[in-house]
């Protein structure tokens, strides 16, 4: 039990199959009601796809576990209806500070420029996120969330997979047209299918201590190398909701996990860090090691793996839950198009391709962070300490300091769904990049660009004057929008103006869209349903937009 949180106990409801004795059949079944499985189920269900979620537990995760949720993840959580709840409850932050022994060597700001809806990061205990997701799931008529339903066998077939499930009312079977596996790092489903996850185990141990205290520490990330209160090791401090502070102490591989979790071992470490006079209560303690590993492929026929079931990284850099939720975001729009008959099944191969690339990027960054934090030789330690010493005064050394490269969305520049640039552009909004946000107006109402994008393809067409758009061009826009792939066309302009009937106008009054997208009158951006850039041009050409749309959905020949 925690002093700051009361765990919900979700009701078990007998599945209809246990009463009828007949196997059920569903378009999509998700195994695992953690953040990734719930995010995927909600994404599909709120667009009308019936989903069953199976979980062998009846509550949320024990302990704070995942803590940091990045701006990109918050934007995805906005689209599935829980972003506001998370940001309201969590602790927003943008600044991180790195210390070597007693001195600060440098600090960074994740979001130095204004005019973004969401902060660079929030800190929020994972049980809150799961609670908000369960609540959202309960609002959706197409989502059947089944607690205390344990999958005991899976039999894949060409048209889906058959699952055997145990419940308090006995066993039953169901068939899934598509099976999304999000049952965590020790994935039982992965084991049942004899699929491997390969990688590297790091020979080090870390102590997590969640501490309740009233303190005036700012909402920042603080990381120490070799501090006087924990010499020769590293320490990380994060503030979470409810005045709970997460402290990670590096212990070394020789530490005994069971001994280190005892209060008589933990409390002196915390007092050495905070001072003997600081009052605190120990909320939760765990000792962990970690691995960087992944499956070879995330798609196996009609079985799709996501989150920790597909890939694992060290906790440094907050890449676990963030990358898992981005998996679900990448997967669901593709699966929806396949289910609707608007894209071939081969589109789902791009889910594996794009997210394997992202996983490799995360594993690379996570491995580098871990090697810097826990040097494996005297030479490596001397190099690291020299870098930290130089970083106080020299910018080149600060770039080498690695206390956990923080989660950012992957630039999927190598994806076969992209249409390569044929025109010159500056900036980061290349094909494959996740969209940047911008403040906008429509009919005098303020909004954020990312709140109007996502869930379907969108063409953003920059015009000098919406009122000057002629009838012929307006017809081309409307023809595009009425094609077989759901597409919305919106005009972007620096000033308001009355566009032809049926066309929306997004007013870029502050010029942030023009700045961040290197956009000028004539520029066109084609945006995917997961808010990644699919293509861009300097001049509108309906045939080129259609070709890019076909390419982004694997409908091109």
């Amino acid at each position: 039990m925690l002093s700051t949180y009361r765990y919900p106990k979700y009701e078990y409801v007998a599945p209809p199959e246990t009463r009828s004795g007949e196997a059920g059949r569903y378009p999509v079944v998700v195994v695992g009601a953690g953040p990734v499985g719930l995010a995927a189920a909600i994404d599909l269900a709120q667009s009308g796809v019936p989903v069953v979620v199976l979980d062998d537990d009846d509550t949320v995760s024990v302990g704070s576990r995942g803590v940091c949720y990045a701006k990109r993840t918050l934007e995805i959580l906005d689209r599935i209806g829980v972003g506001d709840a998370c940001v309201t409850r969590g602790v927003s932050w943008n600044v991180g500070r790195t210390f070597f022994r007693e001195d600060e060597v440098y600090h960074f700001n994740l979001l130095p420029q204004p005019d973004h809806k969401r902060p660079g990061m929030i800190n929020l205990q994972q049980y809150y996120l799961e609670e908000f997701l369960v609540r959202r799931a309960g609002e959706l008529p197409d989502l059947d969330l089944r607690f205390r339903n344990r999958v005991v066998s899976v039999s894949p077939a060409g048209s889906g997979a058959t699952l055997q499930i145990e419940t308090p009312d006995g066993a039953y079977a169901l068939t899934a047209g598509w099976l999304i596996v999000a049952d965590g790092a020790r994935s039982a489903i992965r084991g049942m299918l004899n699929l491997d996850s390969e990688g590297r185990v790091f020979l080090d141990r870390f102590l997590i201590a969640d501490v309740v205290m009233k303190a005036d520490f700012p909402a920042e990330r603080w990381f120490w190398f070799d501090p006087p209160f924990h010499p020769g090791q590293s320490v990380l401090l994060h503030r979470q909701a409810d005045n709970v502070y997460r402290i990670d102490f590096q212990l070394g591989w020789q530490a005994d996990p069971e001994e280190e979790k005892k209060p008589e071992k933990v409390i002196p470490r915390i007092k050495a860090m905070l001072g003997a006079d600081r009052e605190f209560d120990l909320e939760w303690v765990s000792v962990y090691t970690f691995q960087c590993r992944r499956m070879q492929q995330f798609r196996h026929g009609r079985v799709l793996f996501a989150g920790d079931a597909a890939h694992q990284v060290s906790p440094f850099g907050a890449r676990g839950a963030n990358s898992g939720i981005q998996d679900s975001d990448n997967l669901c729009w593709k699966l929806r198009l396949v289910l609707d008959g608007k894209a071939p099944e081969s589109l789902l191969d791009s889910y594996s391709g794009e997210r394997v690339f992202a996983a490799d990027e995360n594993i690379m960054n996570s491995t580098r962070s871990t090697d810097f934090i826990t040097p494996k030789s005297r030479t490596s330690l001397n190099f690291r300490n020299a870098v930290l010493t130089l970083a106080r005064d020299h910018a080149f050394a600060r770039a080498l300091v690695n206390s956990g490269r923080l989660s950012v969305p992957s630039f999927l520049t190598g994806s076969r769904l992209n249409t390569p640039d044929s025109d010159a552009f500056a900036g980061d909004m290349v094909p494959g990049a996740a969209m940047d946000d911008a403040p906008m107006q429509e009919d005098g109402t303020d909004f954020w660009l990312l709140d109007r994008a996502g869930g379907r393809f969108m063409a953003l067409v920059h015009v000098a004057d919406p009122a000057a758009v002629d009838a012929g061009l307006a017809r081309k826009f409307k023809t595009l929008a009425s094609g077989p792939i759901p597409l919305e066309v919106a005009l972007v302009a620096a000033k308001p103006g009355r566009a032809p009937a049926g066309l929306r106008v997004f007013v870029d009054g502050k010029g942030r869209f023009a700045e961040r997208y290197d956009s000028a009158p004539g520029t066109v951006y084609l945006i995917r349903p997961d808010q990644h850039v699919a293509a861009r041009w300097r001049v509108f050409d309906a045939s080129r937009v259609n070709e890019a749309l076909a390419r982004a959905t694997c409908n091109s020949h």
Side-chain angles (χ1 to χ4, degrees):
M1 295 293 292
L2 304 181
S3 64
T4 58
Y5 183 77
R6 178 169 293 182
Y7 280 89
K9 194 170 184 66
Y10 297 116
E11 181 184 6
Y12 162 76
V13 177
E17 291 84 2
T18 60
R19 298 191 295 271
S20 70
E22 297 179 359
R25 181 171 180 83
Y26 302 92
V28 180
V29 173
V30 177
V31 180
V36 177
L38 286 170
I42 291 167
D43 195 343
L44 291 167
Q46 69 183 11
S47 63
V49 177
V51 185
V52 172
V53 180
L54 305 171
D55 195 89
D56 60 2
D57 203 355
D58 61 359
T59 188
V60 294
S61 62
V62 176
S64 62
R65 298 182 68 181
V67 170
C68 300
Y69 300 97
K71 179 177 180 289
R72 179 67 199 137
T73 300
L74 296 175
E75 292 159 358
I76 296 167
L77 295 177
D78 277 336
R79 295 212 309 282
I80 61 175
V82 299
D84 285 343
C86 291
V87 173
T88 299
R89 191 73 189 181
V91 175
S92 298
W93 63 277
N94 291 310
V95 174
R97 299 186 186 277
T98 299
F99 304 86
F100 180 42
R101 297 180 179 139
E102 296 178 315
D103 300 325
E104 180 180 332
V105 293
Y106 85 111
H107 64 271
F108 59 83
N109 189 333
L110 294 173
L111 210 62
Q113 190 184 58
D115 295 325
H116 293 267
K117 178 181 179 181
R118 294 308 187 196
M121 286 271 181
I122 67 164
N123 292 344
L124 181 70
Q125 296 91 316
Q126 184 172 319
Y127 44 72
Y128 277 122
L129 172 59
E130 291 184 17
E131 181 183 329
F132 299 151
L133 288 167
V134 170
R135 186 183 307 161
R136 173 62 178 148
E139 298 170 352
L140 300 170
D142 286 318
L143 202 161
D144 181 1
L145 178 49
R146 301 182 182 183
F147 292 104
R148 299 180 68 188
N149 279 241
R150 184 168 67 92
V151 179
V152 294
S153 74
V154 177
S155 301
S159 59
T162 299
L163 292 79
Q164 299 292 328
I165 300 141
E166 289 185 351
T167 76
D169 288 312
Y172 71 94
L174 59 76
T175 299
W178 293 88
L179 179 63
I180 298 176
V181 181
D183 59 346
R186 297 181 179 89
S187 173
I189 306 298
R190 191 179 64 224
M192 292 172 195
L193 298 178
N194 294 315
L195 295 171
D196 293 329
S197 182
E198 300 174 353
R200 173 182 172 190
V201 178
F202 287 87
L203 300 182
D204 210 331
R205 291 192 169 99
F206 289 80
L207 169 74
I208 294 176
D210 277 359
V211 173
V212 182
M213 63 179 175
K214 292 183 179 179
D216 55 359
F217 300 138
E220 299 176 349
R221 177 190 194 260
W222 289 358
F223 194 102
W224 288 266
F225 291 95
D226 193 15
F229 54 82
H230 193 52
Q233 306 282 21
S234 63
V235 179
L236 175 63
L237 175 69
H238 274 290
R239 178 181 162 193
Q240 305 175 89
D242 306 325
N243 290 319
V244 176
Y245 286 78
R246 160 70 68 85
I247 308 174
D248 286 46
F249 292 97
Q250 182 186 358
L251 299 176
W253 182 243
Q254 302 306 319
D256 183 328
E258 295 307 313
E259 281 296 314
E260 294 296 341
K261 286 191 288 187
K262 293 178 178 178
E264 58 266 29
K265 294 281 287 186
V266 177
I267 290 172
R269 293 191 189 282
I270 297 171
K271 285 187 173 181
M273 176 182 180
L274 302 176
D277 297 332
R278 174 76 66 182
E279 293 184 4
F280 64 86
D281 293 310
L282 206 53
E283 180 82 333
W284 181 68
V285 176
S286 180
V287 172
Y288 65 90
T289 58
F290 50 84
Q291 307 173 30
C292 287
R293 58 194 305 136
R294 70 163 172 86
M295 300 176 67
Q296 287 296 309
Q297 299 294 329
F298 299 167
R299 180 190 176 196
H300 292 265
R302 293 289 187 99
V303 182
L304 304 151
F305 288 81
D308 285 353
H311 50 78
Q312 297 167 256
V313 293
S314 80
F316 302 116
R319 296 174 180 276
N322 285 294
S323 62
I325 290 171
Q326 289 167 40
D327 287 347
S328 74
D329 189 48
N330 186 292
L331 169 61
C332 288
W333 70 269
K334 298 172 180 177
L335 182 54
R336 191 163 52 243
L337 286 176
V338 171
L339 287 166
D340 289 344
K342 295 176 178 176
E345 288 189 15
S346 60
L347 178 60
L348 291 166
D349 292 334
S350 75
Y351 161 68
S352 182
E354 290 181 348
R355 295 312 298 168
V356 163
F357 170 81
D360 284 344
E361 187 175 73
N362 281 326
I363 288 170
M364 177 191 70
N365 282 302
S366 185
T367 301
R368 289 176 177 175
S369 297
T370 305
D371 287 342
F372 192 86
I373 292 166
T374 62
K376 305 305 184 291
S377 68
R378 173 58 61 180
T379 300
S380 296
L381 176 64
N382 290 338
F383 171 79
R384 188 201 71 181
N385 289 348
V387 167
L388 290 166
T389 300
L390 290 168
R392 297 187 185 103
D393 302 309
H394 301 284
F396 83 89
R398 291 174 205 139
L400 301 175
V401 175
N402 193 338
S403 63
R405 301 287 189 220
L406 291 167
S407 174
V408 294
S410 292
F411 280 65
L412 306 173
T413 52
S415 172
R416 62 189 176 91
L417 304 188
N418 298 337
T419 294
D421 281 338
S422 55
D423 303 309
F425 282 88
D428 293 333
M429 292 296 95
V430 298
M435 289 177 71
D436 214 342
D437 209 355
M440 296 283 197
Q441 275 194 343
E442 185 177 15
D443 297 329
T445 300
D446 293 332
F447 69 93
W448 294 97
L449 175 60
L450 291 180
D451 284 343
R452 300 288 174 91
R456 75 281 189 217
F457 282 91
M458 174 176 272
L460 296 170
V461 183
H462 196 146
V463 298
D465 180 2
V469 174
D470 62 40
L473 187 56
R475 279 195 298 273
K476 290 181 180 179
F477 292 154
K478 293 174 184 177
T479 300
L480 268 179
S482 62
I485 304 298
L487 171 72
E488 180 177 2
V489 178
L491 307 182
V492 178
K495 295 180 180 180
R498 184 176 296 277
L503 287 177
R504 305 176 69 178
V505 179
F506 295 171
V507 180
D508 182 29
K510 290 189 174 182
R512 291 298 192 191
F513 179 85
E515 172 191 359
R516 293 170 182 167
Y517 288 73
D518 185 26
S519 185
T523 298
V524 181
Y525 271 84
L526 178 64
I527 306 299
R528 299 182 350 178
D530 59 359
Q531 297 177 330
H532 280 253
V533 176
R536 57 184 179 173
W537 306 271
R538 287 299 185 188
V539 177
F540 174 78
D541 182 325
S543 64
R544 295 170 80 184
V545 176
N546 274 321
E547 288 170 5
L549 194 59
R551 180 169 182 155
T553 56
C554 290
N555 280 303
S556 56
H557 300 292

